[in-house]
Amino acid sequence: MAKNLEISYLLDFYGECLTEKQRGVLDYYYNDDLSLSEIAENEGITRQGVRDAIKRAENILIDMEQKLGFAKRYTELKKGLDDISECADRIYDFTHENAVSKDINDNAAKIKALCEYLNRM
């Protein structure tokens, strides 16, 4: 069974919407990198039961992302903040090197700090 590594990312967003058993099986499989046999032994179910549980939980996560799109929006927001931060760096460097305006420098530094703060959220 090939692993869809996007599932691990979706698990971070929607994992709380799964049952504890589904979340645990996916966590074992994607985050702990256990085999189906190892998970079956830990959970006291068959290897086929583990595979079915993983497939069901994966489908739930994929369906939730298709309907809600939180992971995609978060990724796009993070990329946008990184781009804004990079632009603020360039503005700061340019104005600092060319002694253009302390006010512009201060605002570029504020933009950069705000982007860093929002990226940590």
Side-chain angles (χ1 to χ4, degrees):
M1 189 163 99
K3 287 187 180 180
N4 177 353
L5 298 181
E6 180 186 5
I7 297 298
S8 182
Y9 190 60
L10 295 179
L11 188 57
D12 291 339
F13 283 90
Y14 305 111
E16 293 299 316
C17 297
L18 298 173
T19 67
E20 189 174 323
K21 188 106 169 162
Q22 289 170 326
R23 190 171 51 253
V25 168
L26 284 184
D27 191 48
Y28 279 145
Y29 188 67
Y30 284 99
N31 297 331
D32 296 340
D33 202 28
L34 296 183
S35 69
L36 298 181
S37 298
E38 291 169 320
I39 298 168
E41 187 176 317
N42 288 349
E43 294 296 312
I45 58 177
T46 66
R47 187 180 174 285
Q48 184 62 42
V50 170
R51 185 185 180 290
D52 291 345
I54 289 171
K55 285 297 174 192
R56 261 192 313 278
E58 286 175 340
N59 288 333
I60 291 169
L61 294 177
I62 290 167
D63 187 52
M64 292 184 82
E65 176 58 17
Q66 287 173 344
K67 289 178 180 174
L68 301 172
F70 292 147
K72 181 181 179 194
R73 281 186 229 158
Y74 175 80
T75 301
E76 290 171 354
L77 179 62
K78 185 151 178 39
K79 183 186 178 331
L81 287 170
D82 290 343
D83 290 347
I84 291 168
S85 182
E86 187 179 313
C87 289
D89 282 341
R90 281 193 242 130
I91 292 168
Y92 182 88
D93 291 344
F94 177 82
T95 59
H96 187 71
E97 289 170 7
N98 296 297
V100 174
S101 168
K102 182 179 178 339
D103 193 38
I104 293 173
N105 258 2
D106 291 346
N107 283 316
K110 284 180 188 177
I111 291 169
K112 174 78 174 169
L114 183 57
C115 287
E116 289 173 1
Y117 170 75
L118 291 173
N119 265 323
R120 288 190 305 265
M121 292 181 79

